[in-house]
Amino acid sequence: MTGTHAILYSTDADADRAFLRDVLGFPHVDAGGGWLIFQLPPAELGVHPAEGGAPSSELYLMCDDLDATLAVLAAKGVHTVGERSEARWGVRAWIPLPSGATLGLYEPRHPVARDLLGP
């Protein structure tokens, strides 16, 4: 395996791409016709049991300091959606995308697999 390719389905793909490019500042390539493919930070994959329903997937962008990340985003006019969630394993919050979808942000409080790559 050489990497992970994640897909966000959007009702306003152009606006969400602009948000990822301009607000979050993700480097990208144009795969043709304005179809942007974004470079993401190193990734890891957790597999959790499906509780009482069909299997599903979630996407979170990890950060070292959720409060600092949220402050930077607030200065850019991006505010959280709903309540932040704290647990012994970490803290989560969600930000809105222009399409109305939400994107999770996550500060883990456990060992992280991304550190296996080294500095």
Side-chain angles (χ1 to χ4, degrees):
M1 303 298 155
T2 60
T4 300
H5 183 89
I7 299 172
L8 291 178
Y9 289 95
S10 173
T11 58
D12 192 344
D14 289 336
D16 286 349
R17 288 180 193 132
F19 180 86
L20 294 170
R21 180 192 64 218
D22 301 336
V23 177
L24 297 185
F26 287 150
H28 59 279
V29 297
D30 189 325
W35 198 280
L36 305 182
I37 306 293
F38 296 93
Q39 178 188 33
L40 295 177
E44 59 184 34
L45 177 66
V47 180
H48 296 238
E51 295 181 14
S56 64
S57 300
E58 296 180 10
L59 176 66
Y60 291 89
L61 299 177
M62 295 170 66
C63 57
D64 294 328
D65 184 335
L66 183 62
D67 290 332
T69 299
L70 293 175
V72 167
L73 291 172
K76 295 179 179 184
V78 180
H79 300 282
T80 59
V81 174
E83 296 293 320
R84 67 188 258 147
S85 172
E86 286 211 39
R88 64 172 178 73
W89 41 261
V91 58
R92 303 179 291 178
W94 294 265
I95 58 171
L97 295 175
S99 66
T102 57
L103 184 60
L105 302 178
Y106 174 53
E107 176 189 332
R109 294 184 178 147
H110 57 77
V112 292
R114 70 171 187 230
D115 291 343
L116 297 174
L117 294 175

